[in-house]
Amino acid sequence: LGSHKFFVATAIVESFPTDLPLTPNIREPNKKISIFKEILETLNSAPSKFFDRNNGIKISAYKAKINKTSSGSEIHVECLEDSEGYTSFGVYDGGHTIAAFSTAWAQKIDLTKALVKVEITCGLPEDEVAVNALTANTTSPIDNRSRVNARGGYDFVKRFIDKLEDELDIKYKVAYYQNQSGVPKDPRCSVQHL
């Protein structure tokens, strides 16, 4: 596979980390849509069938290491943080699945029999991660704004707004992608309204 590494694993949902960055994902999870509700329902009603009924989680990682344990193997994944200037590491497909794990834990759903597919890619360039995120997120429609953002089409707008915020000491809330948190759902906050 060239200069990058690729891992495929089966993970135990009960102990799956939900704090992985979602930065490379095209949109943030929305707990109000049917896809999320269907994932949560499968975890609740048929946890032993979850592996077969879910598309899994795809992660772009800085590095991954397999460690042998007495009970099998573990994969330790390192994703550099967005706050450190890295935007291509984290979950690029499966954000709704991870959000459903958190909700299931909060609802005290028994996940001891639930397994999930995990694909981990290390060493992909940022533009390839963006393309993978676009092609992988097909379960529910992705709006055009999210596609343009994933390809870097609004980077010039972001730089301009950052400069404007510094000069005027004002903070603007602009939604560059679908379900973006911290931005009102008002259409006037969409980058397409500018």
Side-chain angles (χ1 to χ4, degrees):
L1 293 174
S3 63
H4 63 277
K5 294 181 181 179
F6 185 73
F7 301 87
V8 178
T10 300
I12 300 167
V13 170
E14 188 176 46
S15 59
F16 196 87
T18 57
D19 60 348
L20 293 168
L22 296 173
T23 312
N25 209 318
I26 291 180
R27 59 183 164 221
E28 292 184 23
N30 181 348
K31 294 182 178 184
K32 295 178 183 175
I33 66 170
S34 63
I35 295 299
F36 171 82
K37 292 174 184 175
E38 290 168 13
I39 294 169
L40 186 60
E41 176 56 29
T42 302
L43 286 168
N44 187 36
S45 64
S48 63
K49 302 285 185 190
F50 189 76
F51 185 87
D52 298 324
R53 296 179 183 173
N54 184 269
N55 289 333
I57 298 165
K58 295 180 181 173
I59 301 169
S60 170
Y62 177 66
K63 62 182 173 181
K65 182 180 179 186
I66 299 174
N67 294 326
K68 300 288 182 191
T69 67
S70 60
S71 60
S73 298
E74 292 179 347
I75 297 180
H76 291 269
V77 177
E78 183 178 348
C79 294
L80 302 178
E81 295 289 331
D82 186 38
S83 61
E84 300 171 288
Y86 300 98
T87 58
S88 61
F89 298 117
V91 176
Y92 66 85
D93 186 32
H96 285 98
T97 298
I98 291 176
F101 294 169
S102 294
T103 299
W105 292 332
Q107 294 178 1
K108 308 248 187 275
I109 295 172
D110 181 9
L111 300 175
T112 54
K113 295 180 181 177
L115 301 173
V116 66
K117 297 179 268 295
V118 181
E119 296 177 15
I120 304 160
T121 307
C122 303
L124 277 182
E126 191 169 344
D127 60 334
E128 279 298 309
V129 174
V131 169
N132 287 354
L134 278 170
T135 57
N137 281 276
T138 57
T139 305
S140 61
I142 300 164
D143 67 8
N144 190 51
R145 173 186 53 172
S146 298
R147 292 178 189 278
V148 171
N149 185 61
R151 292 186 178 116
Y154 296 129
D155 289 352
F156 72 98
V157 175
K158 292 175 185 178
R159 286 190 299 273
F160 177 77
I161 289 177
D162 285 345
K163 183 179 173 189
L164 201 58
E165 287 176 336
D166 288 343
E167 289 175 5
L168 302 176
D169 197 30
I170 295 174
K171 193 74 176 152
Y172 293 100
K173 294 188 178 200
V174 180
Y176 297 101
Y177 56 89
Q178 205 170 341
N179 306 330
Q180 185 173 336
S181 61
V183 179
K185 300 263 186 244
D186 189 320
R188 294 173 292 175
C189 293
S190 171
V191 68
Q192 294 174 319
H193 185 75
L194 298 177

